[in-house]
């Protein structure tokens, strides 16, 4: 949605608020506060172990300013990381990516309807690892920092340890058997949906309290991506407990893990030096203007050393980043 339309919608909503207030009706802000309290009270009334602890974490997430910082960093991470992106062949060295591709279903209407842990759900994890890493490291990221995010072992620790991810003495290795269990986890039971939906709406209400009810300052895909990440963590909890149907306790464990993760300095997890050395930082790219194939240039390379015509007949154009 363009900024012009965002401003137009904000102006229209403000006009509606003014009319409603003059008629003694709820404003958007008043409605949001009421819904926030309703969702909080509903969750508080549910008799599940650790629910009160997680709700306390929710409030701390809000009041500490960490929620605000996470959303803002999430919205800017693509720009921060844009100087160097992984090529497909480089990610083929990532064992988790290979296991996910081989064992999880691709995104489809069925996986979305049943909330099955599919490849798309799996991909949400690295979006949040990038965001949390930047929050602790700062925006001056190097190519080596990108390598640490994908190959430093934090993802493996999360999948296998959940809220105990920081207690491993060495990085665990997920197995094909674990991914096969993860592939069948789904959120279809009423009581599980109740917990998941109310937690999602509570955080959405808090996001509106932080950034306002308008459209201009919101990051439209933050909440859906976080929901997918929670689904992934809940699926891992279910898989570890040999459950096909994700239970409410798995959703609660997912949030417990999430809130611990966002408060942890994950920059301490470093990729093996052999991985770092196997993927040198590119200083530029030759990109075909016809088929789009790209060739990375290392520090020792020059664009003048290569032919300017691609195998497909297109022209190879130098770009600093892709």
């Amino acid at each position: 949605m363009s900024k012009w339309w965002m401003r137009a919608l904000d102006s229209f909503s403000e006009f509606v608020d003014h009319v409603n207030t003059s008629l003694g009706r709820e404003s958007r802000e008043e409605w949001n506060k009421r819904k926030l309290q309703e969702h909080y009270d509903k969750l508080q009334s549910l008799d599940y172990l650790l629910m009160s602890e997680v709700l306390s974490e929710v409030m701390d997430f809000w009041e500490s300013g960490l929620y605000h910082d996470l959303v803002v960093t999430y919205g800017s991470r693509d720009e921060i990381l844009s100087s160097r992106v992984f090529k497909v062949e480089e990610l083929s060295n990532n064992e988790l990516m290979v296991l996910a591709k081989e064992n999880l279903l691709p995104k489809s209407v069925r996986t979305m309807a049943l909330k099955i842990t599919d490849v798309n759900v799996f991909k949400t994890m690295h979006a949040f690892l990038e965001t949390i890493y930047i929050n602790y490291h700062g925006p001056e990221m190097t190519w080596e920092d990108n390598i640490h995010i994908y190959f430093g072992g934090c993802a493996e620790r999360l999948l296998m340890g959940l809220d105990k991810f920081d207690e491993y003495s060495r990085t665990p290795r997920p197995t094909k058997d674990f991914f096969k269990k993860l592939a069948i986890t789904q959120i279809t039971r009423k009581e599980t949906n109740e917990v998941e939906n109310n937690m999602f709406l509570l955080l959405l209400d808090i996001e509106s309290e932080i950034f306002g009810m308008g459209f201009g300052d919101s990051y439209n895909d933050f909440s859906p991506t976080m929901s997918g990440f929670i689904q992934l963590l809940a699926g891992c909890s279910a898989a570890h407990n040999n459950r096909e149907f994700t239970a409410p306790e798995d959703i609660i464990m997912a949030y417990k893990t999430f809130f611990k993760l966002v408060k942890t300095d994950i920059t301490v997890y470093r990729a093996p030096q052999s991985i770092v050395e196997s993927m040198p930082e590119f200083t530029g790219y030759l990109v075909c203007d016809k088929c789009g194939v790209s060739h990375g240039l290392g520090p020792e390379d020059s664009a003048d050393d290569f032919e300017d015509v691609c195998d497909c007949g297109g022209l190879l154009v130098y770009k600093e980043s892709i």
Side-chain angles (χ1 to χ4, degrees):
M1 187 179 293
S2 69
K3 290 185 177 181
W4 184 88
W5 273 107
M6 289 178 184
R7 289 194 296 269
L9 284 168
D10 280 346
S11 297
F12 177 73
S13 296
E14 289 173 4
F15 171 74
V16 172
D17 264 355
H18 178 73
V19 172
N20 283 335
T21 301
S22 67
L23 296 174
R25 300 170 182 165
E26 280 184 322
S27 65
R28 289 178 301 161
E29 287 78 8
E30 291 169 337
W31 176 88
N32 190 73
K33 290 181 186 296
R34 177 170 61 81
K35 299 305 292 186
L36 190 158
Q37 190 63 52
E38 287 177 5
H39 293 133
Y40 183 91
D41 291 343
K42 177 62 178 179
L43 289 163
Q44 186 70 56
S45 70
L46 299 177
D47 187 22
Y48 294 118
L49 185 66
L50 300 179
M51 177 61 84
S52 293
E53 179 183 335
V54 166
L55 285 175
S56 178
E57 290 285 357
V58 169
M59 302 311 290
D60 181 65
F61 186 42
W62 176 13
E63 294 167 356
S64 66
L66 193 52
Y67 197 170
H68 171 277
D69 294 345
L70 200 69
V71 174
V72 171
T73 301
Y74 176 88
S76 61
R77 81 186 196 289
D78 286 343
E79 182 178 345
I80 292 172
L81 298 172
S82 65
S83 61
R84 171 72 157 85
V85 295
F86 281 108
K87 296 170 71 67
V88 173
E89 57 267 26
E90 292 171 333
L91 286 180
S92 68
N93 295 326
N94 187 304
E95 188 177 7
L96 283 186
M97 295 292 190
V98 174
L99 286 169
K101 184 177 180 180
E102 291 179 348
N103 296 284
L104 301 181
L105 293 170
K107 179 183 177 181
S108 68
V109 173
R110 178 174 176 271
T111 63
M112 293 174 64
L114 297 178
K115 295 184 180 178
I116 295 172
T117 306
D118 60 21
V119 171
N120 203 56
V121 170
F122 177 82
K123 289 179 179 178
T124 62
M125 174 171 58
H126 284 101
F128 270 93
L129 291 183
E130 290 170 355
T131 302
I132 295 165
Y133 192 102
I134 294 169
N135 254 7
Y136 281 91
H137 180 278
E140 300 302 321
M141 297 279 284
T142 66
W143 166 228
E144 193 167 321
D145 289 310
N146 288 345
I147 298 176
H148 295 318
I149 292 169
Y150 279 82
F151 294 91
C154 187
E156 289 87 344
R157 290 166 176 268
L158 279 172
L159 298 184
M160 302 309 292
L162 294 168
D163 67 324
K164 303 293 192 299
F165 69 89
D166 58 341
E167 297 181 13
Y168 287 103
S169 58
R170 59 193 309 172
T171 301
R173 297 189 65 182
T175 63
K176 185 174 183 179
D177 181 62
F178 171 74
F179 267 83
K180 285 187 176 296
K181 292 180 180 179
L182 182 61
I184 62 173
T185 59
Q186 56 186 274
I187 302 174
T188 53
R189 293 186 169 175
K190 180 181 177 181
E191 59 270 23
T192 308
N193 272 307
E194 182 179 39
V195 174
E196 187 207 28
N197 290 338
N198 277 283
M199 283 295 294
F200 175 78
L201 291 171
L202 174 64
L203 288 170
L204 205 59
D205 294 335
I206 291 174
E207 191 175 326
S208 294
E209 286 292 300
I210 296 171
F211 295 101
M213 294 292 291
F215 293 85
D217 294 323
S218 64
Y219 299 99
N220 294 331
D221 64 338
F222 175 85
S223 295
T225 305
M226 183 171 71
S227 179
F229 185 35
I230 293 299
Q231 182 183 336
L232 172 64
L233 295 175
C236 290
S237 177
H240 285 307
N241 288 283
N242 295 309
R243 286 194 285 265
E244 176 180 348
F245 299 101
T246 306
E249 290 81 3
D250 297 319
I251 300 294
I252 295 169
M253 174 53 69
Y255 274 103
K256 188 172 187 290
T257 303
F258 175 77
F259 289 127
K260 182 174 182 177
L261 177 66
V262 298
K263 292 189 286 187
T264 299
D265 181 1
I266 64 172
T267 65
V268 300
Y269 301 119
R270 318 294 284 178
Q273 190 61 30
S274 59
I275 295 291
V276 176
E277 292 174 353
S278 71
M279 294 189 292
E281 181 174 0
F282 291 162
T283 57
Y285 304 83
L286 291 176
V287 182
C288 177
D289 64 358
K290 183 177 180 181
C291 70
V293 69
S294 62
H295 306 275
L297 302 176
E300 72 286 355
D301 296 324
S302 168
D304 296 333
D305 297 333
F306 297 85
E307 297 289 337
D308 59 1
V309 179
C310 179
D311 291 339
C312 73
L315 291 177
L316 291 175
V317 180
Y318 174 78
K319 294 186 177 182
E320 291 186 356
S321 63
I322 56 174

